[in-house]
Amino acid sequence: MATVTPDKTLDASGLNCPLPVLKTKKALEELQSGQILEVITTDPGAKADIPAFCNRTGHQLLEVVEEGGKIIFYIKKK
């Protein structure tokens, strides 16, 4: 269970690469600096793609939770 409370949730379940990353980028653009985005995905590739996106863009990956076939990322906007 996550220890982070998100400001916004993006459900990208059922979407495959590159859509989870593209939708994450768009959702982060709508947030203010310091706010937290929760991204829910079922794409196994996202386990590598989302952290790489955060490293490349400077957003902070706070937590990753895997439960019930879903991968949930908590990202703090830079």
Side-chain angles (χ1 to χ4, degrees), residues 64-76:
V64 180
V65 177
E66 292 188 53
E67 59 183 41
K70 295 188 178 194
I71 309 155
I72 306 166
F73 300 90
Y74 294 89
I75 304 166
K76 185 175 184 179

Side-chain angles (χ1 to χ4, degrees), residues 2-62:
T3 58
V4 179
T5 303
D7 295 290
K8 180 175 181 162
T9 298
L10 167 65
D11 189 350
S13 298
L15 300 178
N16 293 319
C17 182
L19 290 176
V21 171
L22 295 175
K23 291 193 174 283
T24 296
K25 179 179 187 257
K26 184 174 181 183
L28 283 165
E29 289 172 357
E30 299 171 5
L31 295 179
Q32 301 295 317
S33 180
Q35 287 188 305
I36 297 171
L37 175 66
E38 173 185 56
V39 180
I40 303 167
T41 182
T42 52
D43 178 16
K47 286 196 269 187
D49 295 343
I50 298 284
F53 165 77
C54 289
N55 286 337
R56 191 171 60 251
T57 58
H59 301 298
Q60 183 181 0
L61 182 58
L62 300 174

